[in-house]
Amino acid sequence: PVANATITPGPLSHQVRAGDPVTLRCSVQVGSAPVTFTWLHNGQEVAQGPLLELGTVNVGHSGTYQCVATNQLGQDGHRVFQAPSPELALEVTPRGHKDTVVTGVGGALLFLVLLVGVIVAWHRWHRV
């Protein structure tokens, strides 16, 4: 039977920023083939397979993720074994006003420095 399903990257709490690419991988330490993987997001099935590619994430991707590894034993395949992984708490933080303000201040500061440089150069040019 399958056992010890895990999700990588770990640890059990993972914080990323909106726009970051996220891929989760599920694996088992024990289990005879074929092993199938089912992904749950907040308890709802969202995908099948060992990889869950979320792409560039947004705040809506926040929540708990869990994979369930399943295999069958016996020639008739009636003995089904499942190994749920520990839940991974994914927190997606928005790229909000803080980043926008810093970029805005940096851009404004650069503009002012260039403007002062142009004014000083103009004055020196016209004094000659």
Side-chain angles (χ1 to χ4, degrees):
V2 291
N4 300 333
T6 57
I7 299 176
T8 51
L12 297 182
S13 182
H14 194 66
Q15 186 170 5
V16 295
R17 301 188 77 182
D20 288 347
V22 173
T23 299
L24 302 176
R25 176 184 300 274
C26 188
S27 59
V28 292
Q29 289 181 345
V30 178
S32 56
V35 177
T36 60
F37 300 94
T38 303
W39 287 95
L40 307 175
H41 177 225
N42 296 328
Q44 300 294 316
E45 184 176 327
V46 292
Q48 298 279 328
L51 291 179
L52 178 62
E53 297 187 42
L54 299 176
T56 54
V57 294
N58 58 47
V59 176
H61 288 102
S62 294
T64 58
Y65 287 85
Q66 186 175 35
C67 75
V68 178
T70 305
N71 72 349
Q72 299 176 344
L73 291 182
Q75 291 180 342
D76 56 6
H78 288 305
R79 297 181 68 192
V80 176
F81 295 89
Q82 290 189 332
S85 71
E87 289 185 342
L88 172 86
L90 184 69
E91 181 185 351
V92 180
T93 56
R95 293 188 187 269
H97 298 307
K98 184 176 179 181
D99 294 335
T100 306
V101 168
V102 169
T103 303
V105 169
L109 186 59
L110 177 62
F111 174 76
L112 288 174
V113 168
L114 289 174
L115 183 61
V116 167
V118 168
I119 291 170
V120 168
W122 186 84
H123 277 288
R124 286 188 179 172
W125 176 262
H126 282 79
R127 259 198 283 163
V128 171

